[in-house]
Amino acid sequence: MKMVKSMVLILMLATLFTTVSSAAVMAGSSYYTKVNIWYETPERIPSTNYHVGSILPVGTKVDLLKVSDGKVVFRDSNGTTYTIEYLAKFTGPVAGYLDKFFSAENVLKSEAYKKMSDKDKENIAAGNIIEGMSKEAVLMAYGNPPTHRTPSTSNNRWTYWVNRFKTMVVVFGADDMVSMIQK
């Protein structure tokens, strides 16, 4: 029993130090948004990425100003500062979260994006999900679903929070294309 407790403690400390290390590397650098980031006010964005208000578009160049266990602060080229309030119980470790939302490369210049249909690109820009969209297009349009309801995007059923009280489920078929949207 004592050995199990020791192993749990070691794993917890390793996770903590990995998170701090990854966060320190990211702060102070420029990146691009990998997904649309939704917000009602730029200074208080829940990490669950509720789908209300305005959209900071996928492919926006940003400067990461500060990363901590509780907040991710970044600024766009217009000078607007955004603060994501990080809720680990809904979105997992902060280092993994950053990798899902920010990239050193602009995804709008990627081969995968270039191969998407004009209709998918329009829906990504508008922040819409429609039947027939690929998982990659859905991720760009809506971001990653909170991990407490969708532990892995390899699953074929993703649950998004539209707001604090309402969810939306996106179901993918065997071809990894949206087959149904349950609102």
Side-chain angles (χ1 to χ4, degrees):
M1 185 67 167
K2 190 174 186 175
M3 187 171 175
V4 171
K5 286 181 182 178
S6 296
M7 291 300 291
V8 169
L9 179 62
I10 289 169
L11 286 172
M12 287 172 59
L13 288 172
T15 301
L16 173 66
F17 288 120
T18 301
T19 300
V20 171
S21 172
S22 296
V25 170
M26 303 256 323
S29 298
S30 294
Y31 295 91
Y32 295 90
T33 56
K34 286 173 81 170
V35 301
N36 287 330
I37 298 175
W38 300 68
Y39 63 94
E40 290 185 279
T41 60
E43 52 279 334
R44 189 169 185 261
I45 305 170
S47 61
T48 47
N49 203 19
Y50 296 134
H51 296 94
V52 293
S54 300
I55 298 174
L56 179 64
V58 60
T60 300
K61 187 173 184 177
V62 298
D63 295 320
L64 240 50
L65 304 176
K66 180 181 176 188
V67 177
S68 68
D69 286 339
K71 292 185 180 182
V72 178
V73 181
F74 58 98
R75 181 177 39 236
D76 67 15
S77 60
N78 295 325
T80 303
T81 300
Y82 301 84
T83 302
I84 297 175
E85 293 181 344
Y86 189 74
L87 306 166
K89 74 178 188 176
F90 298 122
T91 47
V94 72
Y97 176 83
L98 291 172
D99 291 340
K100 292 175 183 178
F101 280 77
F102 302 101
S103 171
E105 304 295 323
N106 188 343
V107 296
L108 299 180
K109 297 182 188 253
S110 70
E111 287 303 313
Y113 181 78
K114 290 177 186 175
K115 290 179 183 177
M116 289 182 188
S117 70
D118 288 341
K119 188 173 184 176
D120 278 354
K121 291 175 184 176
E122 288 172 20
N123 282 301
I124 290 168
N128 295 327
I129 299 175
I130 62 167
E131 289 184 15
M133 285 178 85
S134 67
K135 284 186 173 182
E136 194 161 16
V138 170
L139 286 172
M140 288 182 187
Y142 248 52
N144 285 269
T147 57
H148 73 294
R149 293 285 298 272
T150 307
S152 171
T153 54
S154 64
N155 296 346
N156 285 332
R157 185 179 181 89
W158 298 358
T159 302
Y160 285 99
W161 289 92
V162 177
N163 58 44
R164 285 183 50 208
F165 308 104
K166 183 178 178 187
T167 60
M168 178 179 84
V169 177
V170 179
V171 180
F172 296 91
D175 59 356
D176 282 342
M177 302 294 217
V178 176
S179 61
M180 181 172 44
I181 301 168
Q182 300 170 339
K183 295 184 179 186

